[in-house]
Amino acid sequence: MRIFVTGASGWIGTDTVKELLRGGHSVLGLARSDASAERITALGADVHRGGLDDLDSLRTGTESADGVVHLGYNHDFTQMEAAVALDRAAIETMGAAVKPGGPFVIASGVAGLVPGRPAVETDMGDPAGYSRAANATIALGLADRGVRSAAVRFAPTVHGRGDHGFVAELVRIARATGVSGYVGDGAGRWAAVHRDDAAVLVRLAVEQAEPGSILHAVAEPGVPTRDMAAAIGRGLGVPVESRPAEHFGWLGRFFGADLAASSEITRKRYDWTPAQAGLIADLDEGHYFTNR
């Protein structure tokens, strides 16, 4: 199949493009800038110029492909409402243009779905709200016209060499403050997945997901934040201590939360077996602490 991929030059997107190509598919990657276009070309994919705010470009890209993988998202946490609105418009535009029977796979998250227990694939969050979970509900609704719509809900940390997300930010904070912190007693848990394993699951969703499917890209259901802090402390050679949420700036609201999730249903349904290093082992490899 020919797959139109938004976020094709991004952290998860680059691995997903490579995985789709290895699977025998062709890829048309959305690129806003020349630098993004060069990265996509270097991967062996074709380039479609435009951005998430260019709805005409999203429409024509979708129409020229057999299906869509929507990984692009504005991760500016100071403008969360604007990011959700941009994502919703993109989903609605591409959803209206995708071919019946074709895959329409979007990225979402497991964080905040349910309080007090690990999130599972049957949890829906608040479909009436104005959030990324609500946007996923819109995408899944495309099943009503025969689109093989699927939401791949990613763990809060998608880790690996070159990561510039939450874990890299925790490393930056620890380096800047001289202490690797955790919130409270550090018993809060974060689900985790290596980006290589996540990319494999996206490909499986493209190839196998039935209309209206939810998949969890979760390799580890819950890594205690205290263990994450300890690994960062080892890597930087700094003390490991409890710190108030404010110590972590904008990240504090997330790092102090319990964000555990299960992928049992996904593993059984898609025969998906994560094979890469877990989060603590990945941190202990040392690459998070060099060239930063």
Side-chain angles (χ1 to χ4, degrees):
M1 288 181 286
R2 183 166 177 79
I3 307 298
F4 178 45
V5 179
T6 73
S9 63
W11 170 239
I12 300 173
T14 51
D15 254 29
T16 296
V17 169
K18 289 187 284 188
E19 181 65 26
L20 288 170
L21 292 172
R22 281 194 293 265
H25 305 285
S26 66
V27 173
L28 180 65
L30 183 69
R32 176 185 292 277
S33 67
D34 289 343
S36 293
E38 290 173 2
R39 285 195 291 273
I40 293 169
T41 299
L43 293 171
D46 297 324
V47 172
H48 181 76
R49 294 304 293 257
L52 295 181
D53 57 351
D54 185 346
L55 300 184
D56 286 339
S57 176
L58 296 180
R59 184 178 300 107
T60 57
T62 302
E63 290 173 344
S64 63
D66 300 307
V68 173
V69 170
H70 174 43
L71 300 175
Y73 195 79
N74 178 11
H75 290 282
D76 183 349
F77 291 98
T78 67
Q79 302 182 50
M80 294 180 69
E81 289 189 7
V84 170
L86 183 69
D87 186 49
R88 179 165 296 191
I91 288 172
E92 291 175 340
T93 297
M94 292 186 290
V98 69
K99 296 176 175 65
F104 187 80
V105 179
I106 72 157
S108 190
V110 300
L113 284 173
V114 290
R117 63 168 174 80
V120 298
E121 289 89 337
T122 53
D123 292 320
M124 293 303 296
D126 181 8
Y130 199 70
S131 65
R132 202 169 186 187
N135 288 357
T137 300
I138 292 172
L140 294 174
L142 295 170
D144 292 341
R145 67 177 187 87
V147 174
R148 290 198 297 109
S149 55
V152 178
R153 299 200 295 214
F154 291 94
T157 175
V158 181
H159 58 89
R161 189 175 296 273
D163 177 15
H164 53 270
F166 286 160
V167 174
E169 178 65 9
L170 289 170
V171 172
R172 186 198 67 77
I173 293 169
R175 179 178 280 120
T177 62
V179 59
S180 181
Y182 52 86
V183 178
D185 62 2
R189 301 161 297 171
W190 271 30
V193 66
H194 193 284
R195 75 163 177 167
D196 291 356
D197 289 322
V200 170
L201 186 59
V202 174
R203 175 182 58 77
L204 291 173
V206 166
E207 295 171 347
Q208 301 179 23
E210 296 179 354
S213 297
I214 295 174
L215 301 80
H216 275 192
V218 171
E220 296 176 283
V223 180
T225 56
R226 182 177 53 248
D227 292 353
M228 294 166 61
I232 293 170
R234 288 194 298 272
L236 293 177
V238 299
V240 180
E241 301 173 4
S242 177
R243 284 290 185 268
E246 293 76 16
H247 172 84
F248 303 92
W250 62 267
L251 186 53
R253 62 182 293 192
F254 302 104
F255 198 44
D258 190 57
L259 305 178
S262 167
S263 61
E264 183 176 348
I265 295 172
T266 297
R267 291 172 188 247
K268 290 180 179 178
R269 169 65 182 81
Y270 297 95
D271 193 23
W272 178 62
T273 303
Q276 304 301 319
L279 175 57
I280 301 304
D282 202 11
L283 281 163
D284 284 342
E285 286 184 9
H287 56 83
Y288 273 95
F289 312 108
T290 59
N291 300 322
R292 299 280 175 174

